[in-house]
Amino acid sequence: MTGKACSGDHTEAARVAAFLLRCAEAQLRKRGSAHIHIGAYAPKRINSSVHMGMDAFSPAHYLARTRRADAVVYIDFDGVVQHHAVYCTPKRGIHLRAPGRSLFEWTPHLEELLRPYPEFKLVLSTSWARRPGFGKAKARLPSSLQARVIGSTFHRRVHGADAWVEQGFLLSPRGEQVLADVARRKPLVWCALDDDAEGWPVPYLRHLVQCDSELGLSCPATRERAAAKLAEMASELEALRRGAGQGA
C-alpha cells in the first residue's frame, strides 16, 4: 500500500533489528523460554526496554498460538488480487489510483485457483495486515477465502511491540518476512503469490509465483503458473504423507 512513509533502503539498523527478532524467536524455539527481553540483544543506545513476558503477550506466547497447516499459501494483496496502485490518505481512506480498477476485483481468480484444494490455508503477507490491521484486512476477502486465513506474517503485538523491531520488519525484504513465518508455522508445503521479488533468497525463489503489479491474478499466464505450483504442492504433500505412512 502506498501513500505512507517508507524507504527502499535497508539500513544497517533495520537489518540488525530483523536479525535480532529472528535470534529471539530461534532462542525461544530452542529453549522453550516463556520470557525474553529484547534489550538483552540490542545496543544500549537503542531504546528497547520493552519486556514481553507472558503477562503481556510474549514471543513465546505468540509462537505457541501460531496456527499451523500442512499446506500454506502466502498472499499479498496489492499487485495480486488488485492493481498495485493502492493509497491510504486521511480524507479518502484506502483507495485505488488506477482508472477502471477496483479493490479486490481479482479475488474470484484466487477462489477458483484454490477450489480444488480445500485444506490449503492462507497467510496474509501484505502491508494491509499492519494497516488497517489483520482483522480488517481479512474481512475484505470473500467469505470462502476468509475461512482459509490462519494468520499473517506481521503480528501487531510482536513485530509492532517495539518501534525498532517494527521498523526492522517493515524494511526487511518480503521474502525474509515470509521465510520467518515459514520457520514459525512449519508447513510441509508452501508457496507465495506476490508481485515483489526483491530480496527473495535465491534458493527459495521456486516457492514464489510472481505477479505483474498491474495485472495480478487477472493475467492468464500468471494464473497458469499459480495453478501449476498449487498442483505441485498437492502432489508433494501427498508424497510426503504416503512416505510418512509407510515409515510408521
Side-chain angles (χ1 to χ4, degrees), residues 148-220:
R148 294 178 181 267
V149 175
I150 60 173
S152 67
T153 56
F154 177 87
H155 196 294
R156 180 179 60 84
R157 298 288 292 276
V158 175
H159 304 103
D162 181 276
W164 188 48
V165 173
E166 182 173 14
Q167 188 71 356
F169 178 88
L170 295 176
L171 293 181
S172 295
R174 181 61 58 77
E176 288 186 8
Q177 296 174 8
V178 169
L179 289 176
D181 192 88
V182 168
R184 288 190 295 271
R185 218 171 288 275
K186 296 180 173 59
L188 296 177
V189 294
W190 63 277
C191 75
L193 305 182
D194 207 311
D195 65 332
D196 182 5
E198 183 179 356
W200 270 86
V202 174
Y204 296 95
L205 279 173
R206 67 185 183 86
H207 293 278
L208 173 65
V209 177
Q210 187 176 8
C211 303
D212 183 292
S213 296
E214 297 186 355
L215 300 175
L217 290 176
S218 72
C219 175

Side-chain angles (χ1 to χ4, degrees), residues 12-26 41 164-165 168-169 172 176:
E12 185 63 22
R15 288 186 181 279
V16 171
F19 172 74
L20 295 179
L21 182 59
R22 289 196 295 273
C23 286
E25 292 173 339
Y41 297 94
W164 188 48
V165 173
F169 178 88
S172 295
E176 288 186 8

Side-chain angles (χ1 to χ4, degrees), residues 7-54:
S7 168
D9 298 324
H10 298 156
T11 64
E12 185 63 22
R15 288 186 181 279
V16 171
F19 172 74
L20 295 179
L21 182 59
R22 289 196 295 273
C23 286
E25 292 173 339
Q27 185 193 60
L28 288 169
R29 287 194 299 271
K30 182 177 180 180
R31 299 184 181 180
S33 173
H35 299 272
I36 188 162
H37 191 289
I38 297 297
Y41 297 94
K44 298 299 182 182
R45 62 187 176 85
I46 300 295
N47 179 16
S48 54
S49 59
V50 177
H51 184 276
M52 295 186 291
M54 287 296 284

